Amino acid sequence: MKILVTGAAGLVGSAVCTRLATAGHDVIRAVRPGKQPVGDLGTRVEVDLAQALDPSDWHHHLEGIDAVVNCAGALQDGMTHNMAGVHAQGPRALFRACEQSGVRRIIHFSAIGVDREQPSAFSRTKLSGDMALKETDLDWVILRPAVILGEAAFGSSALLRGLAALPFLPLMPSTGKLQVVQLDDVAETVVRLIDKAAPSKLSLEIVGPQQLAFEEIVARYRNWLGWPPARSYLLPRPIASLLYRFGDFAGLLGWRPPVRSTAAREIVRGAVGDPSDWTAFTGIRPLPLDDALARRPVSVQERWFAKLYFLKPIIFVLLPLFWISTGIVSLTTGFEKGIQLLLTGGAGVFATPSVVAGAFADMVIGCAIALRRTARWGLYAAILLSLFYTAAGTAILPALWNEPLGPLTKIGPILVLHLVALAILEER
């Protein structure tokens, strides 16, 4: 079969593409413009689901297609995400285009519990997309997975690894039970239901066999990573609220932290359901978390990732603050001293414009690193400017190498930190 998979660069989408390809299907991977899915598993097409709001936007993508799997999703609105477009408006146009193009088979990923309760815009838009599909006469299957975990570290599976590396476990208040499900089981579900002869007009809850508290899941990951149990602490609500707001702000800058206000509303409900229909229609018996972890021997890469997880946001907070603050200091309290240093080095009439230009360059670099879309170029610019500062300082004032506070010597460790930031920038 020739299958179009939307959201193919995501955690679920990439796993689904891989499993469909290994099952012998011809996979067309639909990704947002500029996104590059991992691997070479089929043709790649660019389409922004949130912008393709008319059926005509999809017709040329559906030529020769036998089935569609919609894996696209967004946790919360942000600089690059529009939940209404991704969950409801775009899929509605896609479903209508499928009717018009004769593509009958649709597998659509929703989320557990959205049919029972909608505590956030995430749930409401997901449910709207589900209802749009049910209104069609297509051979549809709606999959409503709980928290999906797997070998790949992204979203919840990355957060759990990061929390497992902490010497203590901070717990958010009012968290419900979770029936985590394995990514491999989710991908296998798509393979078994994509066939034209498979049952249709189904809504299936894709959940694991165990109801676990959040701290129990983290404890299992910590044990798998080979570390002793950690003590848990319940965070006060004001601190938890502050963390969620910080996550929201990071989302507005284009980053995708799992701890945001949408998560705060959704975790109260938890993620539990009944897997009996799923098993009955597919024959899949969901794998318990302990069994899934036991099948994957822990590696040094896993331990490195877990320990770096919470260092990454710290790095990407400190670097913008470092560059922006140096620019501000250069224009305010350090302005006269900066000019004096350059005059001592013989800069002459170029002293004042050099200080001003350097200050603005620092602030622009800091802002660029803070924005996810421009972070890579901001880091490159920071490295180049640091090398320039080193060369210029050596040429104009070589005595700075002998300063007890080491203004030029410290550029070396700063450069290394920027290289580390580049190495851990990508989330997938």
Side-chain angles (χ1 to χ4, degrees):
M1 296 176 67
K2 191 174 183 180
I3 302 169
L4 177 70
V5 179
T6 62
L11 175 70
V12 175
S14 58
V16 166
C17 288
T18 300
R19 185 64 188 89
L20 287 172
T22 57
H25 296 287
D26 182 9
V27 179
I28 310 299
R29 300 178 295 171
V31 299
R32 282 188 297 141
K35 277 287 182 183
Q36 182 61 50
V38 178
D40 184 19
L41 299 171
T43 305
R44 169 181 170 272
V45 298
E46 291 190 351
V47 56
D48 188 342
L49 190 64
Q51 299 296 323
L53 305 182
D54 190 272
S56 61
D57 296 327
W58 292 97
H59 287 157
H60 62 290
H61 295 301
L62 295 174
E63 293 177 2
I65 295 295
D66 299 302
V68 171
V69 183
N70 179 28
C71 302
L75 176 64
Q76 191 164 312
D77 288 331
M79 180 178 290
T80 58
H81 292 96
N82 174 6
M83 283 191 295
V86 173
H87 295 162
Q89 298 165 358
R92 183 178 290 109
L94 172 60
F95 303 151
R96 290 176 180 169
C98 287
E99 288 183 303
Q100 296 167 5
S101 303
V103 180
R104 298 289 307 166
R105 196 75 184 175
I106 306 289
I107 295 182
H108 170 70
F109 275 88
S110 182
I112 191 72
V114 299
D115 56 326
R116 300 191 295 266
E117 187 180 354
Q118 302 84 44
S120 70
F122 171 84
S123 296
R124 291 191 293 272
T125 54
K126 277 289 188 183
L127 181 61
S128 180
D130 296 356
M131 299 306 296
L133 181 55
K134 288 184 176 183
E135 291 170 0
T136 70
D137 190 38
L138 298 170
D139 298 329
W140 52 264
V141 177
I142 296 174
L143 303 180
R144 293 190 172 119
V147 175
I148 300 174
L149 304 179
E151 187 172 354
F154 180 75
S156 297
S157 60
L159 175 63
L160 289 166
R161 285 168 165 86
L163 288 169
L166 297 178
F168 60 90
L169 174 60
L171 296 176
M172 293 297 193
S174 303
T175 56
K177 296 281 188 177
L178 304 174
Q179 285 177 257
V180 296
V181 63
Q182 296 303 308
L183 182 59
D184 289 345
D185 288 340
V186 174
E188 181 63 27
T189 300
V190 174
V191 171
R192 298 194 185 188
L193 293 175
I194 200 67
D195 190 88
K196 294 178 181 179
S200 63
K201 293 183 171 55
L202 301 173
S203 297
L204 302 177
E205 294 185 332
I206 312 299
V207 297
Q210 303 166 290
Q211 288 194 13
L212 300 171
F214 188 82
E215 59 266 32
E216 292 178 298
I217 301 172
V218 176
R220 281 162 165 77
Y221 267 94
R222 187 170 175 84
N223 179 66
W224 173 63
L225 289 164
W227 295 320
R231 186 182 294 274
S232 315
Y233 296 94
L234 183 65
L235 290 177
R237 288 189 181 275
I239 294 179
S241 177
L242 184 63
L243 289 174
Y244 286 128
R245 290 181 181 276
F246 181 78
D248 287 345
F249 179 71
L252 292 175
L253 296 178
W255 303 92
R256 292 177 292 190
V259 179
R260 283 182 270 177
S261 57
T262 294
R265 298 184 183 97
E266 294 288 336
I267 62 173
V268 175
R269 179 185 60 195
V272 298
D274 182 2
S276 58
D277 285 345
W278 174 30
T279 299
F281 284 107
T282 64
I284 295 174
R285 296 192 176 277
L287 197 64
L289 178 58
D290 288 330
D291 292 350
L293 292 175
R295 294 184 182 187
R296 300 199 305 267
V298 70
S299 64
V300 66
Q301 296 97 309
E302 290 283 0
R303 293 193 178 99
W304 274 35
F305 177 87
K307 290 182 177 181
L308 283 169
Y309 182 79
F310 284 109
L311 287 177
K312 179 177 178 177
I314 293 174
I315 289 172
F316 280 95
V317 168
L318 290 180
L319 287 181
L321 289 178
F322 166 75
W323 284 102
I324 293 171
S325 63
T326 56
I328 293 173
V329 169
S330 295
L331 290 177
T332 55
T333 57
F335 186 67
E336 295 297 333
K337 185 174 183 180
I339 293 175
Q340 188 60 45
L341 280 172
L342 290 177
L343 288 174
T344 302
V349 296
F350 297 104
T352 298
S354 295
V355 171
V356 173
F360 278 108
D362 289 354
M363 289 188 287
V364 169
I365 284 174
C367 292
I369 296 174
L371 294 172
R372 176 62 186 87
R373 183 176 292 177
T374 57
R376 180 175 299 278
W377 296 110
L379 291 168
Y380 285 141
I383 291 171
L384 291 176
L385 189 60
S386 297
L387 292 173
F388 172 77
Y389 284 158
T390 303
T394 302
I396 297 174
L397 285 171
L400 289 175
W401 286 102
N402 294 322
E403 286 286 330
L405 295 179
L408 292 182
T409 306
K410 289 175 180 176
I411 292 178
I414 292 171
L415 283 172
V416 172
L417 185 59
H418 286 80
L419 293 173
V420 171
L422 281 170
I424 63 176
L425 177 61
E426 296 299 331
E427 296 173 329
R428 296 192 180 107

